[in-house]
Amino acid sequence: MHPLDMDIHRCRFVPYPASTINAIAFSHTSTLKASAISPPNLRLAIGRANGNIEIWNPQRGHWVQESILSGGKDRSIEGLVWTHDLEGQKDDENKEEVPGTLRLFSIGYSTVITEWDLALRKPIRHSGGNYGEIWCLAAQPRWQAPAKSAASSNKPSDNQKSEQHLAVGCADGTVVLHSTADGDLRFLRTLARPSGKKSRVLCIAFLGRGKIVVGHADSTIRIFNISNGRQLSSMSLGAGQPGGPTEILVWSVRCLSDGTIVSGDSTGEVRFWDGQNYTLLQRIKSHKEDILDLAVSADGLTVFSGGMDRRTTMYRRTRDNHKGDRDRWAEISHQRYHSHDIKTMTTFESNDMSVVVSGGVDATPIIIPLGEFGKEYIRSLPMIPNCPQVQSAPQKRLLVSWWDREISIWRIGGIWSAMQETETAPDQRQVRKLVAKIALQGEENIASVSISSDGNLIAVSTLSSVKIFHLRPSKSSSNDSVKLRKAEISADLAGHGSKLLQFSPDSKWLLAVRCDDSIYLHRIAKTPDVHARPRILERGVELLRLSRNPNNSPKVQQGSLGKYERSIIRAAWSSDSRILVLCDLQGHLDSWVLEGYEDFSQSNDYTVNGEQLMTESVMNGDDEESSEELDETAHPVIVLGQHWIRNPRGASLPRLPSFPLVMSFRPAKPASLAALTNGHITMHPTRHTPNPHSHDLPIGEDRLFVLTSLHKVYEYQIFAGKLSDWSRRNPPSMLPEEFKAIRDRAMNCVWDISDRKERVWIYGSSFLWMFDLARDLPAVEQKAMEVQSHPDGDTLQITRSSKKRKRKHTQEQNHNLMQGTTGAGSKIPEKELKTGVGNRIHKTTGIEPGAGQWISLQTMHTQARDEDDDAKDDDGLEDATGEPSALVRLRRANIDFPSVGDDQRNGDAKTDNRHVNSRNAVAHGSTDTGLAYWHTFKYRPILGIVVLSDASSPEDDRGEDVYESQRGLEVALVERPSWDLDLPPRYHGDQEWDNIALTVQAALSSLEGWVDNEAWFLRYMTWLISQTSSTSPLCLSQYALSQRRQCLEETNPWMSVRLLAAAILQQIWHLIPASHNSSSFMIGTIGLYELKGLEDQI
């Protein structure tokens, strides 16, 4: 068994096809004002080929995926734009217009423009016409008030100020203008009609507010006046290359702030045109294949291009000091950040953020620093959804995965089945089996899937409907097979789509969060017969959220997202299924409690303590809130003797500083569960209460673990409405530096609870992290001993105080490299920068020679930004320096460790058995050798981790007793390696260094435990390849550089070394004769890395 007592099934058989990125758009335009920072509601929309639109929140470099707008069959997002509606004026002297609602529009291989409602996550408006398929889309820039010196007497009208038109180009050569005024979307006029040639419009861009630039497929760029539709000019690109097509395809056009027009075409050239005279200024041949998109900076001095050859090329304007000479453009750099064609690019710049975002066929968004290009690393965002697309039914060992409109159900064998796999014939292995597959009819993609813990029901929802299937075992001799049968549900449940479905742990309740964020609970009546269909009660119970004062929300002057910010994104059930908590994007927690006990003796499924049943009522925060709350309290809906009420202390729960990514209750321990199942007193009906019900609240575990989008960890006591004791002793500032350095965001968690440990396993797309909540995190001032992880992310070691100073210095350096960035990766260390200009100044005060000090220019530039971030994350548990407050240190110093039987809580007059273990926390560094935290980076990319069985669960349905008394947590870890993706062939051929290792990460696991010094191992393998193959050192060096740029964990210098070492190891295996054993060959030559004088080819 693993030292941490967890068995992992690494599952790479679960399909999840990657979808091409076709469009990217920021919700706001760039600004060059010195005081302007990124708007708090800045969003990035990413459109994919499967019709989905991902909404990302940059969060000043944290980059969190908030939601996914589901697409459908044969739908593709080919273009995205945002607009801002103006709602009115401010009551001040300047009378500035205040941007109103942010609106998102898309196109996709049809004649229709679609507007999306972010809160409902579905289209709300379409506009089409009698023209060809729309190929490109552009939004008119918002009106900007001119400077006082440039103010004109011809002031635009209020309608002209508020209008923000959309221009579309069609396959038949038509250019159409649409209006977005008055919150609508309608046809305005046709600017260009198809000629006899009907040249396809490939790209379109606005030149100011009055002109549009259109790129065609006939080697021509045309300029139109949008007010009268007149063509102002046309610019010809000439004939195509000899031996190729006669016409040049203009794939992209962009307009700079000074009016210069930039175009990218099918010849691989970037051309710069005069925006006034419409003449060619300069052309640069920078790509070997088509340039598919361009991105420009706000100041008009930098241009990026990307295309089919996977190159991302950067151009800078060079100014000449001689009078009369015009500015020239030069290619500064070209890199291959993508592994396939680059199809779309966009930029955003502000005082604290300056990035270029690109995407393409490899389905991976890449963040490139713009203002700090060459000084910061790039960053790759996960292509996997942040919300895991896998679930499990531990009692039946079922694994469920889904994508688009398809669901796969697998049965995973026990540990002994996996251990005996090598001893069994291939046709007899039963480690995994696909037992069922569901293909939904219709065109909508799946929005949510949930399977009950007993494996009997699976619920599937789209944005318009909900379906529930009954999984019953087959009557045949094989116990692995199951049969699917559609369950009968009410029209109210089936006819309303849901964006979130979730069964309770006891499989008796189904949570359905509809598209309008209304919350319904549906009761499931079980039957002893496994072959009989479970009965879903007809009427659902609606839960109402607390009204929130909009004044508590931060004032937004750059546009509003409307109801989207109140969208529910996470839900959590307690282990006894009697507490439900939901959270929205603003960090507000709403909680409900199930009162009473289950009573099947009642004649009616639903009763009410009044004359009528509470009907539909949606909590919108209006004046009817008080009456609705009174009705909910006075006339509760009773379901089989139980009813849901709002948590009495729910209003006391503090608002989270950012929305949660992980939200889960601590599971109750087996002993606690046994104590809670001793029965209850039956309520007898009387003349006045014919349907009596109990008002007893649950007494089970109520501690809620929350991990926010900023990777801050909190734990709340739901019934007390406050932070738990563990959270008060362990504020976010005490989290390990390795955890703070993780760039990828967390996805979910699994629990491992026993008498001695309370471990929560948090995972993201590239990491797996464990916190033991039965122990406190190591204190900052602790000197005795601390547990840390080896740079390989898996090996454990004990570090004494003699090494702490060096380790702390390294952590401070890594922390400084991550602070003050512009939205991409971490800063490149000074020793690795290739620029000759330093970034420090020497400041001298007075005349003393030793009074000077070195000051970092980057620190001066970003100090105010970091202070602002820290102020937003202040939760009262940290002081101004980010260290634990005096109150936290006092709590940690005065921890009372009573015996296990002590159940007295501090400050409470009565006993409470719920939190006995929280007071038995073990201080880190004590005589207990347990680990407070542990992590690894060896699994990636992770699609999800689900529980198959744990120590507290009974034996599975096939009677396998795994490890008997040593049985621990057993999970299935689903990976989706990039080399398994079914991508189309590249249009441009592979380079020599690409063929060195086609499966770089596949060989990564082979390095585990072989060597201690990977740097020397890397040098030895480099020397070995140069001696035994025709691969030149120059080619290997080029490959090393390309792998370094693609390294996701730039803050961990070991990761780039390991990736490259694995690639070279894979190449060595190809060179070894078949008669030699690879393992013995490597072990026999491993000592050669001790040789001195080996030239480092990297």
Side-chain angles (χ1 to χ4, degrees):
M1 299 242 337
H2 194 275
L4 296 176
D5 299 330
M6 184 171 70
D7 296 308
I8 298 177
H9 295 260
R10 299 184 68 174
C11 305
R12 295 181 177 175
F13 55 85
V14 177
Y16 187 82
S19 185
T20 300
I21 297 176
N22 291 332
I24 298 177
F26 276 103
S27 60
H28 295 72
T29 57
S30 302
T31 177
L32 298 178
K33 296 181 180 179
S35 59
I37 62 174
S38 300
N41 59 348
L42 176 67
R43 297 297 187 271
L44 175 69
I46 298 179
R48 296 188 179 268
N50 61 355
N52 290 348
I53 300 178
E54 300 174 1
I55 305 299
W56 289 76
N57 188 344
Q59 282 196 337
R60 299 189 178 183
H62 293 287
W63 295 100
V64 186
Q65 185 186 98
E66 287 184 344
S67 61
I68 297 179
L69 312 182
S70 300
K73 181 180 179 181
D74 299 331
R75 301 177 190 174
S76 178
I77 304 298
E78 298 296 326
L80 290 170
V81 294
W82 296 78
T83 63
H84 296 184
D85 280 349
L86 300 181
E87 294 181 348
Q89 293 183 345
K90 297 170 63 177
D91 295 328
D92 54 15
E93 298 178 357
N94 297 328
K95 299 293 184 181
E96 290 185 11
E97 280 72 11
V98 179
T101 305
L102 295 169
R103 302 169 64 186
L104 177 62
F105 301 88
S106 70
I107 59 172
Y109 289 145
S110 66
T111 61
V112 174
I113 303 177
T114 302
E115 181 180 358
W116 294 82
D117 190 313
L118 299 183
L120 298 178
R121 298 190 184 183
K122 60 183 179 181
I124 58 171
R125 195 172 289 112
H126 302 278
S127 178
N130 189 18
Y131 39 77
E133 293 182 352
I134 299 176
W135 271 65
C136 51
L137 173 68
Q140 184 183 28
R142 287 197 306 111
W143 180 84
Q144 300 289 340
K148 295 182 179 180
S149 60
S152 175
S153 59
N154 298 326
K155 296 182 179 181
S157 62
D158 293 339
N159 291 335
Q160 292 175 336
K161 291 180 182 180
S162 60
E163 289 180 349
Q164 195 171 2
H165 300 319
L166 299 181
V168 297
C170 306
D172 60 358
T174 305
V175 179
V176 182
L177 206 64
H178 287 73
S179 174
T180 62
D182 302 326
D184 199 2
L185 176 63
R186 59 181 181 271
F187 171 82
L188 190 61
R189 69 175 64 94
T190 300
L191 300 181
R193 298 190 179 276
S195 60
K197 193 175 182 180
K198 293 187 178 181
S199 175
R200 178 177 299 163
V201 179
L202 300 178
C203 55
I204 193 169
F206 274 87
L207 180 59
R209 281 181 55 87
K211 303 175 184 178
I212 61 171
V213 182
V214 182
H216 290 260
D218 60 352
S219 308
T220 306
I221 300 175
R222 297 177 174 87
I223 294 91
F224 296 90
N225 188 322
I226 66 171
S227 60
N228 52 26
R230 185 170 63 90
Q231 180 175 328
L232 302 178
S233 179
S234 63
M235 302 176 292
S236 176
L237 278 69
Q241 298 178 352
T246 58
E247 295 181 341
I248 299 176
L249 306 179
V250 184
W251 287 114
S252 180
V253 290
R254 291 289 185 270
C255 299
L256 305 182
S257 56
D258 62 351
T260 302
I261 301 173
V262 188
S263 66
D265 52 55
S266 58
T267 63
E269 289 186 351
V270 173
R271 309 193 187 204
F272 300 89
W273 308 81
D274 191 322
Q276 296 181 351
N277 301 325
Y278 309 116
T279 57
L280 180 64
L281 300 177
Q282 188 180 352
R283 55 196 291 184
I284 301 176
K285 175 69 174 178
S286 55
H287 290 261
K288 297 182 180 180
E289 294 294 337
D290 298 34
I291 296 177
L292 299 182
D293 204 3
L294 299 169
V296 299
S297 62
D299 57 7
L301 301 179
T302 307
V303 175
F304 284 84
S305 65
M308 292 183 179
D309 59 354
R310 294 167 288 145
R311 279 187 175 184
T312 301
T313 306
M314 177 184 179
Y315 314 86
R316 283 273 174 87
R317 189 198 298 263
T318 58
R319 300 187 179 276
D320 202 322
N321 295 328
H322 300 285
K323 294 183 178 180
D325 294 339
R326 64 181 57 178
D327 298 340
R328 303 291 295 176
W329 290 85
E331 178 184 343
I332 302 300
S333 172
H334 66 266
Q335 310 287 350
R336 280 189 173 87
Y337 304 127
H338 289 269
S339 60
H340 217 290
D341 303 352
I342 303 173
K343 301 192 67 176
T344 179
M345 307 179 76
T346 189
T347 62
F348 179 80
E349 293 180 87
S350 64
N351 187 38
D352 61 341
M353 188 174 177
S354 179
V355 295
V356 180
V357 185
S358 61
V361 181
D362 60 2
T364 302
I366 300 294
I367 312 297
I368 306 170
L370 176 55
E372 297 294 323
F373 184 83
K375 299 180 181 179
E376 294 179 0
Y377 291 105
I378 69 154
R379 182 178 176 186
S380 177
L381 299 182
M383 66 175 179
I384 295 173
N386 184 263
C387 185
Q389 304 291 287
V390 292
Q391 285 193 15
S392 68
Q395 297 181 23
K396 296 291 182 64
R397 302 184 64 87
L398 296 179
L399 171 66
V400 179
S401 67
W402 65 92
W403 70 94
D404 292 348
R405 296 167 305 282
E406 196 168 299
I407 303 173
S408 298
I409 305 176
W410 306 78
R411 189 185 297 275
I412 309 299
I415 294 298
W416 288 112
S417 299
M419 297 175 62
Q420 297 173 357
E421 179 180 1
T422 56
E423 303 176 0
T424 309
D427 56 345
Q428 299 179 358
R429 296 174 185 173
Q430 296 294 329
V431 178
R432 67 178 186 271
K433 181 179 180 180
L434 181 64
V435 296
K437 202 169 187 178
I438 304 175
L440 295 186
Q441 297 180 353
E443 297 183 353
E444 290 186 321
N445 288 347
I446 295 173
S448 180
V449 174
S450 181
I451 186 171
S452 59
S453 59
D454 57 10
N456 292 331
L457 292 175
I458 180 170
V460 185
S461 70
T462 63
L463 296 179
S464 61
S465 63
V466 174
K467 295 180 176 63
I468 299 179
F469 298 92
H470 177 213
L471 281 69
R472 57 188 181 91
S474 175
K475 295 182 180 180
S476 61
S477 57
S478 176
N479 196 27
D480 286 337
S481 59
V482 298
K483 288 187 177 182
L484 291 173
R485 185 168 51 180
K486 191 174 180 180
E488 296 180 359
I489 58 178
S490 64
D492 182 63
L493 174 59
H496 291 83
S498 298
K499 61 182 179 181
L500 176 61
L501 294 176
Q502 190 169 333
F503 282 102
S504 61
D506 60 4
S507 305
K508 295 181 180 180
W509 294 92
L510 174 62
L511 167 68
V513 180
R514 296 180 179 176
C515 298
D516 59 355
D517 289 300
S518 58
I519 308 165
Y520 285 86
L521 288 175
H522 298 269
R523 185 63 162 86
I524 302 170
K526 295 183 178 181
T527 58
D529 187 5
V530 295
H531 296 280
R533 297 186 183 182
R535 186 169 64 96
I536 295 91
L537 302 189
E538 182 176 357
R539 189 184 301 273
V541 180
E542 184 180 9
L543 303 182
L544 305 179
R545 290 195 286 172
L546 287 171
S547 61
R548 308 292 182 180
N549 188 356
N551 296 330
N552 293 336
S553 302
K555 295 182 179 180
V556 179
Q557 304 299 333
Q558 297 87 359
S560 171
L561 293 172
K563 297 181 180 179
Y564 173 72
E565 295 180 343
R566 287 282 284 144
S567 298
I568 297 174
I569 58 170
R570 293 293 185 271
W573 289 91
S574 62
S575 58
D576 59 359
S577 303
R578 300 192 63 181
I579 308 176
L580 175 63
V581 178
L582 289 89
C583 190
D584 57 23
L585 285 173
Q586 288 186 338
H588 296 295
L589 294 171
D590 290 279
S591 56
W592 297 268
V593 182
L594 182 61
E595 276 190 343
Y597 300 97
E598 196 172 40
D599 185 6
F600 289 99
S601 62
Q602 295 189 7
S603 57
N604 298 323
D605 294 334
Y606 290 88
T607 58
V608 64
N609 283 358
E611 297 180 358
Q612 60 182 2
L613 188 66
M614 182 178 62
T615 57
E616 294 186 4
S617 57
V618 181
M619 180 65 63
N620 294 324
D622 52 11
D623 296 337
E624 299 178 359
E625 158 64 20
S626 58
S627 61
E628 290 178 350
E629 183 176 357
L630 180 63
D631 290 342
E632 184 184 22
T633 305
H635 308 293
V637 179
I638 304 172
V639 184
L640 299 178
Q642 297 176 307
H643 62 281
W644 288 91
I645 64 169
R646 190 173 294 154
N647 179 19
R649 299 299 300 272
S652 302
L653 292 174
R655 175 183 171 182
L656 297 172
S658 58
F659 62 91
L661 295 177
V662 177
M663 195 168 67
S664 177
F665 279 91
R666 284 203 199 191
K669 295 184 178 181
S672 301
L673 289 175
L676 297 176
T677 57
N678 294 329
H680 59 274
I681 301 176
T682 303
M683 304 291 294
H684 299 282
T686 63
R687 182 177 59 180
H688 299 287
T689 57
N691 297 290
H693 63 279
S694 173
H695 294 276
D696 293 341
L697 293 176
I699 58 174
E701 182 65 76
D702 72 327
R703 285 175 292 179
L704 179 68
F705 178 86
V706 178
L707 176 65
T708 67
S709 60
L710 299 178
H711 273 196
K712 305 289 186 179
V713 175
Y714 303 93
E715 190 181 47
Y716 293 102
Q717 294 177 215
I718 298 301
F719 287 143
K722 63 180 182 179
L723 292 172
S724 68
D725 294 339
W726 182 91
S727 189
R728 291 174 178 272
R729 295 193 308 269
N730 298 273
S733 63
M734 304 198 68
L735 292 174
E737 291 297 330
E738 298 92 333
F739 185 75
K740 297 179 182 179
I742 296 177
R743 288 286 185 178
D744 292 336
R745 300 292 91 180
M747 299 169 61
N748 208 339
C749 71
V750 295
W751 289 87
D752 185 10
I753 301 294
S754 66
D755 293 335
R756 289 192 173 184
K757 59 179 182 293
E758 298 179 9
R759 293 172 178 168
V760 54
W761 292 86
I762 306 169
Y763 66 89
S765 62
S766 61
F767 69 91
L768 178 61
W769 194 284
M770 183 274 294
F771 286 111
D772 193 343
L773 303 189
R775 294 170 171 80
D776 284 338
L777 296 174
V780 177
E781 66 275 4
Q782 186 175 342
K783 302 290 185 180
M785 180 186 298
E786 61 184 24
V787 179
Q788 76 176 61
S789 62
H790 193 269
D792 64 1
D794 196 10
T795 305
L796 303 174
Q797 71 179 40
I798 303 297
T799 304
R800 301 286 180 176
S801 59
S802 60
K803 296 183 179 180
K804 183 177 180 181
R805 181 176 300 176
K806 181 178 180 181
R807 175 177 176 267
K808 183 176 181 180
H809 178 68
T810 304
Q811 290 181 351
E812 290 178 352
Q813 288 182 337
N814 294 336
H815 179 75
N816 293 333
L817 293 177
M818 295 184 63
Q819 295 297 318
T821 60
T822 59
S826 300
K827 300 175 184 177
I828 301 178
E830 295 182 10
K831 61 181 180 181
E832 298 184 16
L833 290 175
K834 298 181 180 180
T835 57
V837 181
N839 58 1
R840 295 190 303 168
I841 58 176
H842 192 271
K843 179 180 178 181
T844 303
T845 303
I847 60 176
E848 296 294 334
Q853 60 177 339
W854 286 99
I855 301 177
S856 174
L857 297 178
Q858 295 179 350
T859 303
M860 295 174 60
H861 177 69
T862 59
Q863 183 177 4
R865 181 191 319 157
D866 296 338
E867 291 177 355
D868 182 66
D869 291 342
D870 295 338
K872 290 186 177 182
D873 298 338
D874 184 18
D875 51 16
L877 300 178
E878 305 169 12
D879 56 20
T881 63
E883 299 294 335
S885 63
L887 182 59
V888 172
R889 291 193 292 268
L890 179 63
R891 288 169 179 160
R892 296 174 67 90
N894 296 315
I895 299 177
D896 181 23
F897 300 100
S899 61
V900 177
D902 189 358
D903 55 4
Q904 295 290 337
R905 301 177 59 190
N906 293 332
D908 290 350
K910 60 180 181 179
T911 61
D912 193 337
N913 296 326
R914 287 196 295 263
H915 308 298
V916 173
N917 295 308
S918 65
R919 301 194 62 230
N920 294 333
V922 180
H924 194 79
S926 64
T927 57
D928 195 321
T929 59
L931 302 176
Y933 63 88
W934 180 88
H935 68 280
T936 181
F937 297 100
K938 68 184 297 184
Y939 309 107
R940 62 173 55 205
I942 299 175
L943 182 63
I945 300 178
V946 295
V947 177
L948 296 178
S949 67
D950 54 31
S952 60
S953 63
E955 297 181 1
D956 56 42
D957 54 350
R958 286 170 293 180
E960 295 182 0
D961 187 8
V962 182
Y963 289 115
E964 298 179 357
S965 61
Q966 298 182 0
R967 181 178 181 180
L969 180 66
E970 184 181 357
V971 300
L973 189 149
V974 182
E975 295 176 292
R976 284 302 297 151
S978 58
W979 60 84
D980 281 349
L981 299 180
D982 187 14
L983 300 178
R986 296 170 178 167
Y987 287 96
H988 186 59
D990 298 337
Q991 276 66 39
E992 183 181 2
W993 54 86
D994 291 326
N995 295 324
I996 292 181
L998 299 179
T999 57
V1000 177
Q1001 296 180 353
L1004 187 61
S1005 59
S1006 301
L1007 293 175
E1008 302 295 335
W1010 277 15
V1011 291
D1012 295 329
N1013 193 326
E1014 296 185 20
W1016 278 107
F1017 183 43
L1018 172 62
R1019 295 176 181 177
Y1020 164 66
M1021 289 191 298
T1022 305
W1023 172 81
L1024 182 62
I1025 287 184
S1026 64
Q1027 299 296 320
T1028 58
S1029 69
S1030 59
T1031 303
S1032 63
L1034 176 61
C1035 174
L1036 189 62
S1037 177
Q1038 290 175 331
Y1039 174 75
L1041 292 177
S1042 66
Q1043 288 299 311
R1044 182 190 181 95
R1045 300 183 193 106
Q1046 297 179 13
C1047 180
L1048 302 180
E1049 298 292 336
E1050 65 275 3
T1051 58
N1052 187 350
W1054 289 97
M1055 292 305 301
S1056 57
V1057 174
R1058 296 179 70 226
L1059 287 174
L1060 182 57
I1064 301 175
L1065 178 62
Q1066 183 73 13
Q1067 176 67 11
I1068 292 178
W1069 284 346
H1070 290 302
L1071 302 176
I1072 298 174
S1075 59
H1076 292 78
N1077 182 273
S1078 301
S1079 300
S1080 60
F1081 175 81
M1082 290 306 304
I1083 294 175
T1085 58
I1086 214 68
L1088 294 180
Y1089 74 83
E1090 297 286 351
L1091 297 176
K1092 304 299 182 182
L1094 294 179
E1095 183 179 1
D1096 188 2
Q1097 302 289 346
I1098 309 304

